[in-house]
Amino acid sequence: MTEERHNRDSGQDPEITKLYRATRSEEPSAELDTRILEQARITARHHRRRWLVPLSSAAVILLGLTLTLQLMEQEPTLPDIDDYLSEEPSKSEAVEAATGEKKQKAASPVLQAPARPELEKDSLRSREMAPAEYDAAPAASGISAPGSMMQDVPPAKLMSEPVSSQADETIRPYEEPEAWLARISALYEQGETRTAIEEMASFRQHYPDHPVPDTLKKLLPGP
Amino acid sequence: MGNGWPGNGSSVTLYPMKDLSALTDEQLFKRFHRGDAQAFETLYTRYRKSLYIYLLRSSPGPAEAEDLYQETWSRIIRSPTPAGDGPFKALIFRIARNLQIDGYRRRTLHLVSDNENTTEPESLDPDPEDRSIIDDCGELLKTELGQLPEEQREAFLLKEETGLTLEQIAEMINVGRETIKSRLRYALKRLRRALEDCL
């Protein structure tokens, strides 16, 4: 009696339900199933693409940020030119010697602009030559060879390095004696006497026996 | 692993499925909206038969039922949001019911406009001779079900095919709980009377 009442309240009749379920034999056709599932697969593909675009955009942005941060961390810290110039000569020489080694190791592809192949070839050849040979070389290489030392600077260097740039001078790697003297001479003529003296001292340290023009001899430290 | 449906005589073989059976309807529907076609297949497997039978028993014929069945799934597939209000099964049966009502309205309008001379409506009760032909209780039940007033039939079918509670069914078709309960009680009473010899 209680069960009957419960069934009435919940709108159930177990016997009718049982009989009804026994009649449930119909099913949609296979063709209908295929059509519906095919439509679902196509739509699912669209849904996937909808997620793909923002996802790949986010990935690209993240990658870009990561690379930028890494590059910022790896950027070499160059010594401050003003600090360097204000230091005492003996100390600055020591720093220069140390940084000079680093600069040589750091191989200067970033610092040097690419030279034209034939000029680069000349420049390479000139590095292998002794100073005396170098003096004779311009005529052979087709480059005009005036008497002035300043014009003896190898072409690749002239193209890549502005003479008056102090910042360039501090990060300049080991260079050819003639070019170096030309640069010192230019500095002296521009009134950069102190820098010229320091450069001269450094030059003498690297090339103790290389002849120095009379105009620059006065920049050498006294005996 | 092929995945046909149990009891289905068809040769349909679905794509191999991941084990998605433990997921709820709503989780599967969300996965489908993220592009998982197999989640939809699992969902489809769960409701293909009950939805089809619901439509078959409440439509004028199998052709209309098939059209409505396909359109219902099509709307589910195209629905822009994965979760509406309430359970997934309420959603799918609500869509089916709404389509059915729309179809019924269209048919009615068509009949009124085309047939000026309305004929006597067909008697819902079969002749006693016809009744004697139906010796199978299941067939008798189907016939009686077809002869129930529409609202009572709907209440019965929704209760049997969806497994929703009376409250959920009432909410789905926008009537009060007592209304749906009353309709169901009348339907069961009438069926019980008709099937007295079978029960």
Side-chain angles (χ1 to χ4, degrees):
Chain A
M1 187 71 184
T2 321
E3 194 184 340
E4 212 172 283
R5 188 173 179 174
H6 168 76
N7 286 341
R8 229 182 17 245
D9 284 349
S10 58
Q12 284 178 340
D13 187 326
E15 285 179 314
I16 289 179
T17 298
K18 191 179 170 187
L19 186 58
Y20 174 77
R21 288 194 180 158
T23 68
R24 293 173 79 250
S25 56
E26 299 93 339
E27 289 192 13
S29 65
E31 191 195 342
L32 205 51
D33 287 336
T34 310
R35 256 184 286 167
I36 291 164
L37 292 174
E38 189 52 38
Q39 189 189 349
R41 274 191 282 273
I42 292 166
T43 310
R45 222 174 292 144
H46 287 301
H47 287 320
R48 272 199 299 276
R49 283 194 202 129
R50 191 186 58 190
W51 282 93
L52 206 67
V53 173
L55 205 70
S56 54
S57 304
V60 168
I61 291 168
L62 197 71
L63 189 70
L65 277 173
T66 313
L67 282 173
T68 310
L69 286 172
Q70 271 192 345
L71 283 173
M72 281 168 72
E73 279 173 12
Q74 285 174 0
E75 202 168 290
T77 50
L78 300 174
D80 191 346
I81 187 73
D82 294 330
D83 293 347
Y84 173 73
L85 289 174
S86 63
E87 281 173 1
E88 288 184 17
S90 58
K91 196 176 172 185
S92 68
E93 277 172 19
V95 171
E96 190 177 297
T99 52
E101 279 175 25
K102 269 189 196 170
K103 284 172 207 158
Q104 274 185 323
K105 280 181 188 170
S108 51
V110 179
L111 299 175
Q112 290 190 349
R116 283 183 295 167
E118 66 273 17
L119 297 179
E120 185 63 39
K121 202 173 157 187
D122 287 337
S123 171
L124 287 170
R125 190 157 18 119
S126 69
R127 279 181 205 152
E128 290 165 6
M129 284 187 282
E133 288 172 328
Y134 182 69
D135 285 342
S141 63
I143 299 169
S144 62
S148 163
M149 277 196 298
M150 282 180 68
Q151 287 169 328
D152 286 342
V153 177
K157 286 215 178 289
L158 281 173
M159 287 177 65
S160 62
E161 296 166 6
V163 175
S164 60
S165 167
Q166 281 193 344
D168 269 10
E169 284 159 17
T170 57
I171 57 172
R172 187 181 298 278
Y174 179 77
E175 59 187 15
E176 298 300 325
E178 301 304 334
W180 200 343
L181 286 171
R183 194 162 52 77
I184 293 168
S185 176
L187 282 169
Y188 182 59
E189 282 170 16
Q190 286 167 9
E192 301 279 345
T193 313
R194 183 166 180 178
T195 314
I197 290 168
E198 283 175 2
E199 286 285 320
M200 202 59 193
S202 181
F203 174 83
R204 183 47 83 209
Q205 199 179 3
H206 280 97
Y207 300 105
D209 302 325
H210 194 277
V212 174
D214 292 339
T215 50
L216 297 179
K217 273 183 182 163
K218 57 191 167 199
L219 297 177
L220 286 168
Chain B
M1 184 178 73
N3 187 32
W5 286 281
N8 184 4
S10 70
S11 58
V12 174
T13 304
L14 293 181
Y15 293 158
M17 284 197 181
K18 294 173 254 180
D19 187 21
L20 299 168
S21 54
L23 299 180
T24 64
D25 296 343
E26 292 71 31
Q27 286 170 328
L28 289 170
F29 200 31
K30 275 184 186 168
R31 284 183 75 131
F32 168 62
H33 271 267
R34 275 181 262 150
D36 188 346
Q38 287 187 0
F40 180 83
E41 286 179 21
T42 308
L43 206 51
Y44 183 73
T45 311
R46 283 183 192 173
Y47 290 103
R48 68 185 278 278
K49 192 168 174 174
S50 56
L51 180 68
Y52 184 74
I53 290 176
Y54 167 76
L55 289 169
L56 197 64
R57 301 268 191 273
S58 51
S59 298
E64 288 88 346
E66 290 210 351
D67 286 348
L68 289 170
Y69 178 79
Q70 188 171 353
E71 184 55 26
T72 305
W73 281 112
S74 186
R75 294 216 179 174
I76 285 287
I77 290 167
R78 294 195 314 257
S79 71
T81 49
D85 294 334
F88 174 80
K89 62 177 145 189
L91 171 71
I92 192 169
F93 280 93
R94 192 187 300 127
I95 291 172
R97 180 178 176 269
N98 290 341
L99 285 171
Q100 219 166 17
I101 291 169
D102 289 348
Y104 175 76
R105 280 181 190 147
R106 271 199 298 273
R107 276 196 306 277
T108 310
L109 286 171
H110 182 73
L111 283 173
V112 168
S113 61
D114 283 1
N115 300 320
E116 289 292 325
N117 300 321
T118 50
T119 52
E120 280 289 310
E122 262 185 63
S123 170
L124 290 174
D125 293 318
D127 294 337
E129 280 182 20
D130 290 344
R131 185 178 283 273
S132 68
I133 297 168
I134 305 168
D135 52 359
D136 179 63
C137 290
E139 288 303 312
L140 182 60
L141 174 58
K142 283 185 201 172
T143 309
E144 286 298 325
L145 199 54
Q147 289 168 4
L148 285 176
E150 199 178 316
E151 290 173 341
Q152 289 178 25
R153 184 171 65 234
E154 179 185 65
F156 177 83
L157 287 174
L158 286 175
K159 183 82 181 83
E160 290 298 332
E161 295 297 342
T162 65
L164 292 168
T165 62
L166 290 183
E167 287 81 3
Q168 287 172 322
I169 293 171
E171 193 185 340
M172 192 180 124
I173 62 175
N174 290 321
V175 294
R177 183 188 181 276
E178 287 307 310
T179 307
I180 201 78
K181 191 175 152 187
S182 166
R183 286 176 188 174
L184 199 52
R185 197 165 56 235
Y186 279 117
L188 289 172
K189 196 175 170 185
R190 190 165 168 171
L191 288 173
R192 179 162 270 281
R193 201 169 51 224
L195 298 163
E196 206 171 0
D197 295 338
C198 296
L199 301 172

